[in-house]
Amino acid sequence: MNQGLRALRRIATAPTPPAAVGERCEMCAEPVGAQHRHVVDVEGRQLMCVCALCYLLFTDQHAELRYRAVPDHYVSFPDCVIGQGEWDALDIPVGLAFFFVNSALERTVAFYPGPAGATESELPLRDWRTILDRHPELDRLAPDVEALLIRMPERGGPGAVLLLPIDACYEFVGRMRMLWRGFDGGNEARNFIAEFFTTMSARARPEVAS
C-alpha cells in the first residue's frame, strides 16, 4: 500500500482523539513533533498542522483540492530591488508586507504587520501588476502557500525581496504582534525584523538574473 492510501485510511478510520499532551495531526490525530509540516485550508484560510503522510496527500499544487501543502521553499532575489516609487504606488502604510495569491479571490492580496496582527490592505493594488512586469522573476508564486515578503529600509533606498512559505510569514506576523509597542512597533520589533530577514536570507537559495 502506498503512503497516500495509508494516510487516507488513517484519516477515515481514526476515532475522535482524547485530549493529550503535545500536538497532533489535525487530519488523522497522529502525534507530530515540534518540527512538523503544514497544509492550508483554502476554503477556511487556515493553517493546519499535519503529519508527514497527510502532508504528502496535498503536494500537487495543480490539483483542485481544498487543502494544499506548504512547501519548504526559500528564495532570495539579490538582483531585484524594489524602488521607493514602486512601493509608494502600492499604498501600503508600513515598510514591510507580504503578498500571496488568494485562489478563492483569484487575485493577489497584501498583508502587513501591526499591533492587531496581520492586517489586509484595503487599498487597491492596481500597480502590483506593474511591479511584476518590471520584475518578472517575482511572478512565480504558488497560490495560497507561498508569499513574497518585501522589506523597505527605514531611511529610504531600494527594498529587498524574499519568497517564503506562507507559514513562515504567519509565524513572523504572530511574533510581531507580541513584540509590537506604540505606533511604530518599537526597538524590539525592529530588531526582530532584522533578525528574521537575516535568518530567512541565510536559508534562501539566491536566484541570480541570467
Side-chain angles (χ1 to χ4, degrees):
M1 183 182 297
N2 64 37
Q3 290 182 327
L5 290 176
R6 287 170 54 198
L8 283 173
R9 176 168 290 182
R10 276 176 29 198
I11 294 171
T13 60
T16 301
V21 176
E23 292 191 74
R24 290 182 175 271
C25 174
E26 295 183 61
M27 288 187 165
C28 71
E30 284 291 305
V32 296
Q35 300 300 320
H36 54 265
R37 308 302 295 271
H38 296 100
V39 300
V40 171
D41 179 346
V42 176
E43 294 181 11
R45 309 309 310 168
Q46 294 178 331
L47 285 175
M48 299 176 64
C49 303
V50 295
C51 67
L53 289 181
C54 289
Y55 177 87
L56 291 175
L57 294 174
F58 307 105
T59 54
D60 184 354
Q61 297 296 334
H62 300 290
E64 294 186 5
L65 301 172
R66 173 174 175 172
Y67 305 102
R68 292 183 179 175
V70 179
D72 187 30
H73 193 202
Y74 299 76
V75 181
S76 62
F77 303 91
D79 295 330
C80 175
V81 292
I82 304 298
Q84 189 63 52
E86 293 176 298
W87 183 255
D88 291 342
L90 296 176
D91 291 326
I92 304 296
V94 296
L96 182 146
F98 62 89
F99 304 80
F100 73 94
V101 178
N102 184 320
S103 62
L105 298 178
E106 297 184 341
R107 66 181 178 90
T108 300
V109 296
F111 284 83
Y112 56 88
T119 301
E120 183 175 354
S121 173
E122 298 179 356
L123 301 173
L125 295 174
R126 57 189 178 275
D127 292 309
W128 178 245
R129 185 69 249 173
T130 300
I131 288 181
L132 294 182
D133 290 341
R134 291 175 180 169
H135 310 283
E137 67 273 22
L138 303 181
D139 193 9
R140 53 180 293 177
L141 290 176
D144 304 301
V145 295
E146 291 183 331
L148 288 173
L149 185 54
I150 301 179
R151 179 193 181 193
M152 302 299 293
E154 293 183 11
R155 300 181 180 179
V161 186
L162 293 174
L163 186 152
L164 304 175
I166 196 69
D167 52 3
C169 295
Y170 280 121
E171 181 180 355
F172 167 78
V173 172
R175 181 65 174 162
M176 285 290 290
R177 181 178 182 178
M178 296 175 59
L179 296 176
W180 196 279
R181 298 292 183 272
F183 178 76
D184 64 354
N187 289 333
E188 194 171 2
R190 286 193 291 271
N191 290 338
F192 173 70
I193 291 173
E195 293 171 2
F196 179 83
F197 264 79
T198 298
T199 301
M200 295 296 102
S201 296
R203 297 184 65 174
R205 173 182 56 82
E207 181 164 294
V208 180
S210 56

